[in-house]
Amino acid sequence: MILTKHLQLMPCTLHHFELFLQGSDVLASQLDITIADNWIEFPEVILVTYDKLRNDPTLLGWFFYMVILKDSRELIGAGGFKGKPSADGTVEIAYEISPDHREKGYGTEMAQALLNFAFGHSYVTNVIAHTEEEYNASVKILQKVGMSFVGAIRNKDNEELWEWKITREQFEKAQQGVVNA
């Protein structure tokens, strides 16, 4: 569990996935939450992520998180990591907030929490992210949390994306600035 000022990032366990596959109302009842409309843009990813976690339980914590507003107990988004850190210590973050809850700072709060979690592990050396090839809200979030543009890349579907990165050194320097401010 990752806690921030406004958010609870709950790692999605196999049990949570199974509840969701029974219906979002079943998950909501079991977790004592409400679920925002469009809390996840592509709900079909639930089955894919469930299957990945079932095949590799060690992904828990380095995978899919549900984003719950602490005060209202509402599920408003999803995100986390696209897998465990690589051999060189690089891990990728991803995040989304439901449309009704955007422009309130939750995306930035979530991205910062993911960076804090990742760099809380001594073996993580870099955190990366990918965005669409346009200046959008995701880009603004990554810039706010100290990530820098690396360049354009092509994904496995040959789509061009922008890659963003922050190193441990950059993260620690930024954290010192926050502490000293």
Side-chain angles (χ1 to χ4, degrees):
M1 183 87 57
I2 302 171
L3 298 174
T4 69
K5 182 176 181 180
H6 301 103
L7 306 174
Q8 175 184 2
L9 279 61
M10 180 181 292
C12 200
T13 66
L14 287 174
H15 180 67
H16 294 135
F17 281 119
E18 290 160 359
L19 292 172
F20 185 77
L21 292 172
Q22 293 175 42
S24 57
D25 56 327
V26 176
L27 178 68
S29 174
Q30 287 291 311
L31 294 180
D32 192 28
I33 60 172
T34 57
I35 299 179
D37 291 335
N38 302 315
W39 72 276
I40 189 167
E41 186 174 352
F42 301 104
E44 59 274 11
V45 78
I46 296 292
L47 193 54
V48 173
T49 51
Y50 169 67
D51 193 47
K52 281 186 177 184
L53 184 60
R54 193 174 52 187
N55 288 322
D56 184 1
T58 66
L59 284 171
L60 189 63
W62 290 108
F63 203 44
F64 191 90
Y65 283 80
M66 296 177 286
V67 182
I68 300 168
L69 277 176
K70 286 177 12 182
D71 289 344
S72 64
R73 301 281 308 144
E74 182 178 12
L75 178 61
I76 63 162
F81 303 94
K82 292 195 171 181
K84 296 178 281 193
S86 65
D88 74 349
T90 299
V91 68
E92 183 175 352
I93 63 170
Y95 50 86
E96 68 175 303
I97 299 293
S98 69
D100 292 345
H101 292 86
R102 292 180 185 161
E103 302 293 328
K104 298 177 183 176
Y106 299 138
T108 302
E109 192 171 328
M110 179 179 173
Q112 186 64 58
L114 293 171
L115 291 180
N116 294 345
F117 177 87
F119 286 120
H121 295 81
S122 61
Y123 50 89
V124 173
T125 57
N126 304 293
V127 176
I128 63 169
H130 294 102
T131 63
E132 293 178 354
E133 191 184 29
E134 64 183 55
Y135 191 76
N136 58 25
S138 288
V139 167
K140 291 177 193 175
I141 288 169
L142 296 174
Q143 290 173 328
K144 284 180 190 176
V145 299
M147 296 184 83
S148 299
F149 179 70
V150 174
I153 64 152
R154 293 215 173 264
N155 68 9
K156 63 184 177 196
D157 298 323
N158 206 31
E159 300 166 322
E160 200 160 293
L161 299 173
W162 284 349
E163 184 168 280
W164 300 83
K165 178 179 177 179
I166 187 169
T167 65
R168 174 175 290 283
E169 181 180 336
Q170 292 166 328
F171 175 79
E172 289 174 351
K173 186 175 181 181
Q175 294 306 298
Q176 290 173 351
V178 170
V179 172
N180 294 331

